[in-house]
Amino acid sequence: MRSHPLNVTVNPKRLWPGTRALEKSGAPGVITGKVEQILSMARKSSLWPLQFGLACCAIEMMSTYMAHHDLDRFGIVTWPSPRQSDVMIVAGTVVKKMAEPIKLLYEQMPSPKWVIAMGSCATCGGPYTRSYSVVMGVDLIVPVDIYVPGCPPRPEALMDGLIKLQDKIMREGKR
């Protein structure tokens, strides 16, 4: 613990989440660690999601980016192009007609890439499980890393899913 100029006790491990895996050197402001740990810390702090909104979950996904929730503070900035995005958020009912475009967009994304299935329709087909045209989960098309449950899930649930994805990215860097 060190003292802050405003007489507030500051824990250095709380200043930058994820630095527990890294070591402090003797110089102020310098940390050392494995390259993969440092790269994963940079990756988790600069996620660029490709939003793929298909139904009512897309409205909740869009509201997550508004001022009330403000994902910019987590380093998450929406990006319209798959060639620069590293996270795909599939929100809503995936019909068989959209399976090929989703797969194409996923293949256009650079590695490393992650997928979030938002809502019960994207996760398992939702209330349309007996429909002939609905895919029973986007994980049949692309590999999914994080599932966000709900119908439709609240913006807070998507934020929780994004934070869980950041934690997963940090865990991948420790391997």
Side-chain angles (χ1 to χ4, degrees):
M1 300 278 193
R2 62 180 173 201
S3 181
H4 192 269
L6 298 175
N7 293 329
V8 178
T9 306
V10 178
N11 184 350
K13 292 182 179 178
R14 302 286 299 175
L15 290 176
W16 195 359
T19 55
R20 281 178 257 130
L22 301 173
E23 300 173 16
K24 289 186 193 179
S25 68
V30 177
I31 55 174
T32 58
K34 296 178 183 174
V35 173
E36 280 302 315
Q37 290 174 330
I38 295 171
L39 286 177
S40 64
M41 187 182 302
R43 284 181 185 131
K44 88 168 186 88
S45 300
S46 62
L47 294 176
W48 288 5
L50 170 68
Q51 299 174 344
F52 202 82
L54 297 167
C56 48
C57 291
I59 303 299
E60 298 294 328
M61 177 178 62
M62 286 183 252
S63 69
T64 308
Y65 290 96
M66 298 301 134
H68 183 72
H69 300 288
D70 190 25
L71 283 178
D72 290 347
R73 63 189 160 151
F74 296 114
I76 300 170
V77 180
T78 181
W79 204 255
S81 170
R83 299 189 194 276
Q84 288 88 26
S85 298
D86 51 5
V87 178
M88 176 188 273
I89 301 175
V90 181
T93 311
V94 180
V95 293
K96 292 178 181 173
K97 187 176 185 178
M98 292 306 295
E100 195 59 37
I102 289 173
K103 188 172 183 174
L104 178 68
L105 287 172
Y106 179 78
E107 290 170 353
Q108 289 177 350
M109 292 170 59
S111 291
K113 52 190 168 187
W114 302 276
V115 177
I116 296 176
M118 180 180 176
S120 62
C121 292
T123 302
C124 63
Y128 310 106
T129 54
R130 296 177 190 241
S131 176
Y132 68 94
S133 62
V134 175
V135 177
M136 298 303 131
V138 74
D139 55 353
L140 298 174
I141 304 166
V142 294
V144 175
D145 297 290
I146 302 291
Y147 295 92
V148 178
C151 185
R154 301 263 315 137
E156 293 85 3
L158 178 58
M159 289 174 64
D160 184 55
L162 287 164
I163 291 170
K164 285 186 183 359
L165 178 64
Q166 289 178 332
D167 293 341
K168 180 179 180 176
I169 293 168
M170 284 303 294
R171 282 193 311 272
E172 288 175 357
K174 290 180 185 178
R175 286 194 250 151

